[in-house]
Amino acid sequence: MMKNILMSSATVRPWLMTMISAIVTLLFQVQQLAGAAQVPAVFVLGDSTLDVGNNNYLPGKDVFRANKPYNGIDYPASKPTGRFSNGYNVADFIAMKLGFKKSPPAYLSLLQGPAAAADLTLAIKALTGGVSFASGGAGVLDSTYAGKCIPLSTQLRSMEATRAAMVSKVGTRAVAAHLARSFFLLGVVNNDMFVFATAQQQQNRSATPAEVAAFYSTLITNFSAAITELYEMGARKFGIINVGLVGCVPLVRAQSPTGACSDDLNGLAAGFNDALASLLSDLAARLPGFAYSIADAHAAGQLAFADPAASGYTSVDSACCGSGRLGAEEDCQVGSTLCADRDKWAFWDRVHPSQRATMLSAAAYYDGPAQLTKPINFKQLARTTA
């Protein structure tokens, strides 16, 4: 009797898996035909400005986390989701512009439960909307906040596993077409800047030109390798957010007696952004079908800070949620001072932009002023064909 049951199970399992694959394929085809979104999926790699909850699942007390109040106070049901924001973040708003309800789900959230079920869930989500691999604290360099986040190199391995899960359900050809039409959103170098600048500060000196050049070279080499690897996986459309005015976040301003921005840190970021633009132009020249748009977070910040009222801000130097000088002496948490009108503050906490700031940024990157995206905007990128 037991032998017959085992034989029956062995016979049913392949049939069941075939049926599941057929269902996944049908869902994939329906999604393709529906055409509500401008791209079939969005895949997100980056740092805390894009993270929608991956860090929630990392072990260790030193991990950067945002799954606690007052984070998420303006998210539906006032839920702290792991976003470093009072509500949605820039990944959400870009996804909305592209026709989705919000950012794709965090990769690690899809791996909970039995392995076979998680693999199926991952494949379905990736085929019908995309996946986010972004992690608060991440950088291009593995050494950036090591042990506290998921570095870009690991995010790439997760994307590789996601691609394999899709291939196992619908085949290589369908996945290749899917990825070529999908939108890859990246924003990941901010933390590398913070770590480099902090190291110089701790040594009480400025970096030499040779040290800065070596730093840029390492970043560009790693960034180029990451983009090339995604291209080899099948990615063709790259929306890349460059390094913003990292020298103007409240945490940095609070270190100045006058509360001024750090020109050195902003200059460091600007130099990298120039190298990044050159890199992407070179990649486009030698990789067939490669299309990209650089979202100029640096320039967007300069415009907003030069005329805060034009963006509806009453504060561009302090954290809405925090404590001490400029709200920058502690992380946002229960008991922190919380501003009343969060839409009028550029910064949510001592490092991250407010929900409204990210909404304005996403609108600018999608189809805003021409000087904020090069060589095309995100809307045009979504419509390109390989």
Side-chain angles (χ1 to χ4, degrees):
M1 182 68 162
M2 183 60 70
K3 182 178 180 180
N4 290 337
I5 291 175
L6 291 173
M7 288 178 64
S8 177
S9 298
T11 303
V12 170
R13 186 172 181 182
W15 172 83
L16 180 60
M17 295 308 297
T18 299
M19 182 179 73
I20 289 174
S21 292
I23 292 172
V24 172
T25 301
L26 179 61
L27 287 171
F28 176 51
Q29 291 172 341
V30 168
Q31 189 267 355
Q32 298 294 304
L33 292 171
Q38 297 173 49
V39 292
V42 178
F43 294 93
V44 184
L45 299 95
D47 58 25
S48 56
T49 59
L50 303 173
D51 189 359
V52 293
N54 275 306
N55 280 20
N56 297 351
Y57 300 91
L58 296 181
K61 62 181 179 61
D62 295 327
V63 170
F64 297 114
R65 304 183 196 280
N67 58 341
K68 56 188 178 183
Y70 295 114
N71 292 299
I73 192 170
D74 295 312
Y75 193 83
S78 294
K79 179 182 179 182
T81 60
R83 290 167 172 80
F84 293 78
S85 170
N86 54 305
Y88 292 109
N89 67 20
V90 72
D92 290 302
F93 287 116
I94 289 171
M96 291 177 195
K97 287 290 186 181
L98 293 171
F100 299 92
K101 292 182 178 180
K102 58 183 177 180
S103 167
Y107 172 75
L108 292 182
S109 73
L110 304 175
L111 301 187
Q112 308 307 302
D119 187 69
L120 177 61
T121 300
L122 176 61
I124 291 174
K125 292 295 184 181
L127 288 166
T128 60
V131 179
S132 174
F133 308 97
S135 168
V140 170
L141 306 180
D142 283 358
S143 57
T144 295
Y145 296 129
K148 299 180 180 181
C149 59
I150 307 167
L152 181 60
S153 62
T154 302
Q155 294 180 38
L156 290 169
R157 301 286 72 73
S158 298
M159 178 62 214
E160 194 171 46
T162 300
R163 180 183 177 280
M166 289 189 286
V167 168
S168 71
K169 301 298 183 291
V170 299
T172 302
R173 179 176 295 183
V175 171
H178 178 66
L179 293 178
R181 294 195 300 269
S182 294
F183 194 103
F184 283 75
L185 176 65
L186 287 86
V188 71
V189 189
N190 299 292
N191 291 307
D192 299 296
M193 296 288 153
F194 285 130
V195 170
F196 182 83
T198 299
Q200 307 309 313
Q201 186 179 46
Q202 290 173 343
Q203 298 173 35
N204 197 30
R205 68 180 184 86
S206 297
T208 66
E211 288 171 330
V212 172
F215 178 54
Y216 286 162
S217 177
T218 302
L219 290 177
I220 289 298
T221 297
N222 286 17
F223 203 99
S224 177
I227 294 294
T228 302
E229 187 170 350
L230 288 169
Y231 177 87
E232 290 172 348
M233 290 185 207
R236 293 296 181 270
K237 302 180 183 185
F238 294 85
I240 297 173
I241 303 173
N242 71 10
V243 182
L245 288 179
V246 287
C248 291
V249 301
L251 180 64
V252 174
R253 284 180 181 265
Q255 297 170 23
S256 164
T258 63
C261 296
S262 168
D263 291 338
D264 287 346
L265 187 49
N266 285 337
L268 185 70
F272 170 78
N273 288 341
D274 290 342
L276 175 64
S278 179
L279 166 68
L280 293 171
S281 178
D282 290 345
L283 290 174
R286 63 183 177 83
L287 298 178
F290 179 91
Y292 73 96
S293 172
I294 300 176
D296 197 343
H298 202 90
Q302 289 174 323
L303 289 175
F305 296 161
D307 187 4
S311 299
Y313 296 136
T314 57
S315 171
V316 295
D317 63 353
S318 302
C320 168
C321 181
S323 63
R325 186 164 179 262
L326 301 181
E329 294 181 6
E330 290 185 359
D331 288 333
C332 175
Q333 56 194 328
V334 173
S336 294
T337 300
L338 188 63
C339 69
D341 192 345
R342 292 176 285 279
D343 283 347
K344 293 184 178 180
W345 291 61
F347 289 99
W348 163 239
D349 62 19
R350 58 182 179 170
V351 174
H352 302 99
S354 65
Q355 174 179 248
R356 185 166 182 276
T358 61
M359 180 188 72
L360 294 176
S361 293
Y365 304 156
Y366 182 71
D367 61 355
Q371 70 266 32
L372 297 183
T373 49
K374 290 183 177 59
I376 57 177
N377 60 36
F378 280 12
K379 182 177 181 179
Q380 293 166 326
L381 178 64
R383 294 179 175 179
T384 59
T385 57

